[in-house]
Structure formats: C-alpha cells, structure tokens
Amino acid sequence: MFKKHPKGLLAAALANMGERFGFYTMMAILSLFLMSKFDLSETRAGYIYSAFYFSIYILAFVGGLIADKTKNFKKTILIGLILMAFGYLIIAIPTPTPVPASQYAVMLGMCCVGLFVIAFGNGLFKGNLHALVGQMYDDPKYSNMRDSGFSLFYMFINVGAIFAPVFAVAIRNWWVNSHGYEYNANLSELCNRYLDGTLSSDGQVSFQALAASVGYSGTDLNAFANEYAGIFVTGFHYAFAIAIVAMFISLLVYVMNRKYFPNPSVTKKQSAAGLEGGMSLHEMRQRLYALFAVFAVVIFFWFSFHQNGLTLTYFAKDFTDVSNIHINLGFTTLIGVELFQSVNPFFVVFLTPVILAVFGALRVRGKEPSTPRKIAIGMFIAAAAYALMTFGSTGLPAKAEVTLAGGLTDSEKVTPFLLIGTYFILTVAELFISPLGISFVSKVAPSRYQGMMQGLWLCATAVGNSLLFLGAIFYEKYSLTATWSIFVGVCLISMCLMLAMLKWLERIAR
C-alpha cells in the first residue's frame, strides 16, 4: 500500500494519530461535558464549542507563519505536541461538581485556558505536518501519487480517532459504575434542571424514575442530583486524561522518525530554480486567488460537517434509542451517545481503500475527476446526508418540548441507524473534500507559502467552525426538520459555487 510512496508518509500518519485521538475525544464529549459541568444550555455550550474549534484551525495559520519564518517545521511541530498534552492535563484535573457559585467563573475560565492551550498546540502541529507531507511529493518520483498519498495519510491518522470515543466512554462509565450507578445519557442534564428548579412536574416524575433505574434507592432527590452529577462529570475529567497518553505516544513516534521527514529549508532552496524560478508574478497571483476561492467554498462544508460533535451529538442524546447498544468489556459496559463519534473515523478507514480503488481505476482509463470536481461532488454528497436527517426527523417534537417533558422514552426515539447512515454519507463527502483539499493546497501553493497556505486551508475550517453555534441555536429554538434543512441548503450552495469556478480551478491546478 505504501511501497510507491515516500518513507516518511507512514511515520507522519502514525505521529498524527495522537492528535486525532485527542480531537475525537473532544468531538465526542466536549459539548456534553460543558453542559454537565457548568449547567450550560445547548446554545451556550455551542458558543464555547464553536470558539474552541475555530481556535484550533485559525491558530494553524499562526503556526504556519512561525514555521515559514523560522524555517524549522520539525521543531514547531514538536512544541505543538507538547502543548497539546499540557492542555489536556489542565482539563483532566477533577474539580468540584456541581460547581460552587463562588468558583464558577474561575473554573470555567481555567477550562477555557486549557482549551486554548490545546488549540494553540494544535495550530503549531497540524498544518505544518500537512506541509511536510506535501513536500515529500515535490519529488517528481512521487508527484503523480499526491492525491492518493494524502488519502492514505488521512486514513491512517483516523485509526486513533476510532478508539478515542470508545476509551472516553469506557473510562466515564467505569467511574460511574464503580460508584454503584448506571450510565444514563439524559440524567446529568436532568440533575442540573432539578437543582436549579426548572423541571416541570412531569419532568420531576421522569427524573425520579430515572434515578431509580440507575440504582438510587433513596428518597432524597436533591442529594442524588448532587452526587450523580459529580460522579458523572468526574468521569469526563478522567476521559480527557486518556488523550495525554495518546499525545505521548505520538511524540515518541515523531521523535524516532524525524529523519524521514524532509527539511523544508533545503527543499525550498532546491526548488528556487525550479517551480518558483520559472513562475511569473501573474501565475503566482492566480494560484493564490484559486486557493482563496476554494478556501471560501469549503467554509460551508465544515460548518455542516462539524455538527457531528454538536447538534448531531445532541440528537443522539435526546432523540436516539441507544438502549440496545451494549458492549461488555468486563470492568464496565460500553453504552453512550459518544460512541457515535467512532462511526465517522471507522468509515474513513474502511472507505478510503474503496475510494482510492475507484479513483485508481478511473485514472487508468483517463477519466479520474480533477481535485476541484471531486470537492464539488463531495459538497453534493454532504447535502444528501442532511437530507436523510431531515427525512428521518419528520414527526419528532422540538427540543424545547422534549426538555419540558423530561425526555422521551426509548420507544419514542428513533433507530440509531439514522445517525449511522448519516455518518456514512458524511464520511464519503469528507473523503472527497478534506484529504483532497489538502492535496490541492500542497500542489498549487507556491513553495515559499506552503506553511501559510496549509494554515489558511485550516483557517477556512476555522471560519466554518465559528458558525457551528448557529446549529445549536436552530436545534434549541426550531424544529429538527428546519435545522437539518439549513445544512442541506448551504452544502448545495457551496457545490454550485465550486462548479461555477471549475474550469478556472482545473486550469490553475494543471
């Protein structure tokens, strides 16, 4: 699989697995942690979630500038790995829950500091590692394998992402079980609603029944709410600690394999008489304009795709029947809405060889779509995923009605196959857009701006992520069908924009 690719490709992918592990740990539990820990609504948790994911990607531009300026990509990446581990440590340290009013601002502030440290470390790491991978394919011997190389890289880094939600749920559920209780996805939110006095009479009846179902035999529901909320959130804290272990493994792999990565300062000197030596100022500007155009279009995709850690996670918690999803590990039982976050990376690993085989067969026949055309197709596929969600949510009550009633019974919820099917389609869209977009940037960007342009690609993701909170607002205020229809619309608009620029982009890429 890797024999036609540079030696450093597999090493780079393995080094990146820890970052993906941490990323998908956050994707799985961050919004739920914020709601449980700080008694935040979906919308308020969405603001912090959006800001965090905006920061992860916007700071990649800063990381690119630092690497381009210092010409030391390898050291910048190393510092990024260390900072990410430190950020996870800040969040992993347990603090009192429910949060005392006198400490609320300080504890929420420390949580945000930890998130910022993770985001800054990620900014130093992510785009610059992409740039190193791209520079491996500047060698003419490998240049025609660039797209497939980035697809393989993307597949292998997602191996870590498959296991992140599983470990997070296992640790959290083990902690809850060790204190004599069972896991329930809705109970932590109901504990907060009970403690702040906002549960309706029907909601209180539901809360009492759920307390008994998870193992509480007493009559003091106030004491139970405080105890269960504290145990539940402490389990989340320990789940974040697993990401530290993953970061250490990535650090070890990276340090041991640095010799296989290109030295950009040398590569750029060697290419001075090549690519940019024969490139006119007009051509350089056209390349940059093409990149900016693609960056603008993919904003809409990331705004839709990264709802998997926000509104789609909310949907899993509130509307999806997970009662029959149990995996017995001996020391604990895996059950949790966070497990849905393993579906996407699993499909990335499973589907990448299939899509590569399809593209390879088309390449042999001279019919492989260009990278810009693949991105346009990916936008259409993403729209189809949310069309499925729109259809599958027809007839379901609004979130506000569910909260007032104290939640839905399992019989009132939808099959988990709705979300699994949606993640399957979204993953296909992702494989048409994300690794190929990175490949497009590495191919089109002038070599002196490689780090910066990879950073700007991630900035486009950041802008899309900064809009994620809008999904949470729609989810909390409007019907589900209206919420999912928004994402159908923005993906179709972005597809049309990409098709309108297609011939120009294909000319620039050649």
Side-chain angles (χ1 to χ4, degrees):
M1 185 179 292
F2 285 90
K3 65 180 181 180
K4 294 183 180 180
H5 295 274
K7 286 186 177 180
L9 180 63
L10 179 59
L14 293 174
N16 206 162
M17 282 204 306
E19 181 272 334
R20 286 288 89 182
F21 188 100
F23 183 93
Y24 271 83
T25 297
M26 301 300 273
M27 187 82 75
I29 67 177
L30 178 57
S31 60
L32 301 177
F33 167 75
L34 292 170
M35 292 169 64
S36 300
K37 177 77 177 181
F38 299 105
D39 191 17
L40 301 177
S41 66
E42 282 86 355
T43 298
R44 292 176 65 197
Y47 289 144
I48 297 176
Y49 183 94
S50 298
F52 172 63
Y53 279 98
F54 170 80
S55 299
I56 276 184
Y57 289 96
I58 200 72
L59 289 171
F61 178 67
V62 177
L65 288 177
I66 292 172
D68 280 337
K69 183 70 175 178
T70 62
K71 303 294 189 293
N72 197 336
F73 280 60
K74 295 181 181 180
K75 186 175 181 180
T76 304
I77 291 169
L78 181 64
I79 294 172
L81 281 166
I82 295 170
L83 283 177
M84 282 189 282
F86 183 63
Y88 285 116
L89 177 62
I90 293 173
I91 301 176
I93 299 172
T95 52
T97 306
V99 179
S102 61
Q103 301 177 35
Y104 188 91
V106 173
M107 290 171 60
L108 181 58
M110 281 303 299
C111 178
C112 291
V113 167
L115 293 174
F116 176 79
V117 173
I118 294 170
F120 187 67
N122 198 292
L124 296 177
F125 174 85
K126 193 177 182 68
N128 291 320
L129 190 64
H130 291 172
L132 283 185
V133 173
Q135 286 152 8
M136 296 177 193
Y137 290 89
D138 288 342
D139 186 333
K141 182 169 59 175
Y142 303 116
S143 60
N144 67 331
M145 299 297 292
R146 186 182 294 267
D147 275 6
S148 62
F150 271 100
S151 292
L152 285 172
F153 173 75
Y154 202 75
M155 179 183 77
F156 270 81
I157 67 175
N158 275 280
V159 171
I162 293 175
F163 297 103
V166 174
F167 277 97
V169 170
I171 292 295
R172 195 272 317 283
N173 287 7
W174 164 76
W175 186 253
V176 172
N177 296 158
S178 70
H179 287 77
Y181 292 117
E182 298 296 325
Y183 161 84
N184 183 281
N186 301 107
L187 197 48
S188 179
E189 180 183 0
L190 291 176
C191 285
N192 287 327
R193 298 288 79 76
Y194 183 86
L195 292 172
D196 61 25
T198 58
L199 268 185
S200 65
S201 56
D202 288 343
Q204 291 186 31
V205 172
S206 176
F207 178 62
Q208 188 168 15
L210 284 175
S213 72
V214 299
Y216 183 66
S217 57
T219 57
D220 188 347
L221 290 180
N222 192 72
F224 167 76
N226 278 284
E227 183 181 15
Y228 191 86
I231 293 168
F232 193 86
V233 172
T234 300
F236 274 138
H237 280 293
Y238 292 144
F240 287 121
I242 297 298
I244 303 172
V245 178
M247 298 310 305
F248 176 77
I249 294 172
S250 275
L251 181 65
L252 190 62
V253 170
Y254 178 77
V255 171
M256 292 177 63
N257 290 278
R258 289 176 74 182
K259 63 183 179 182
Y260 294 119
F261 303 141
N263 185 340
S265 60
V266 173
T267 302
K268 289 178 180 180
K269 289 176 184 177
Q270 291 173 341
S271 66
L275 178 64
E276 289 185 18
M279 185 186 300
S280 68
L281 182 60
H282 173 74
E283 183 182 351
M284 187 178 295
R285 285 176 176 172
Q286 286 296 305
R287 285 171 175 261
L288 294 178
Y289 293 155
L291 289 171
F292 295 151
V294 173
F295 296 159
V297 169
V298 298
I299 287 171
F300 297 103
F301 173 73
W302 294 117
F303 165 58
S304 303
F305 179 79
H306 279 151
Q307 294 295 328
N308 54 1
L310 199 62
T311 55
L312 290 175
T313 293
Y314 295 161
F315 184 86
K317 176 175 67 73
D318 297 324
F319 294 97
T320 303
D321 179 13
V322 296
S323 59
N324 293 320
I325 303 177
H326 294 81
I327 304 174
N328 194 336
L329 298 180
F331 67 93
T332 189
T333 299
L334 281 183
I335 177 174
V337 299
E338 301 92 340
L339 290 175
F340 282 105
Q341 295 308 316
S342 287
V343 174
N344 167 243
F346 170 79
F347 283 143
V348 168
V349 174
F350 175 75
L351 290 173
T352 296
V354 177
I355 291 178
L356 283 177
V358 172
F359 288 157
L362 291 173
R363 188 185 311 125
V364 170
R365 299 177 186 177
K367 296 182 178 180
E368 183 181 12
S370 65
T371 302
R373 189 178 295 273
K374 290 174 185 175
I375 293 173
I377 295 170
M379 298 296 186
F380 175 78
I381 296 172
Y386 282 103
L388 175 62
M389 284 300 297
T390 303
F391 176 78
S393 299
T394 303
L396 290 175
K399 164 62 180 175
E401 298 174 43
V402 173
T403 300
L404 197 61
L408 299 177
T409 63
D410 289 339
S411 62
E412 295 173 314
K413 295 180 177 180
V414 301
T415 172
F417 288 107
L418 174 60
L419 275 178
I420 292 172
T422 298
Y423 282 130
F424 178 89
I425 300 171
L426 278 175
T427 302
V428 176
E430 180 187 8
L431 292 175
F432 271 75
I433 294 172
S434 187
L436 301 180
I438 299 169
S439 173
F440 182 80
V441 174
S442 74
K443 181 178 182 180
V444 174
S447 64
R448 72 175 69 174
Y449 300 127
Q450 276 286 327
M452 186 189 302
M453 290 301 108
Q454 290 290 352
L456 282 175
W457 164 263
L458 297 174
C459 280
T461 311
V463 175
N465 289 343
S466 72
L467 303 174
L468 290 174
F469 72 93
L470 295 175
I473 293 174
F474 296 141
Y475 180 86
E476 194 171 6
K477 301 294 184 183
Y478 303 107
S479 70
L480 292 172
T481 52
T483 298
W484 308 134
S485 295
I486 294 293
F487 303 119
V488 174
V490 297
C491 288
L492 290 177
I493 290 171
S494 62
M495 177 197 70
C496 292
L497 291 172
M498 200 72 189
L499 290 175
M501 299 184 295
L502 192 60
K503 290 184 179 179
W504 171 56
L505 293 173
E506 288 176 338
R507 187 174 69 252
I508 296 297
R510 286 195 295 267

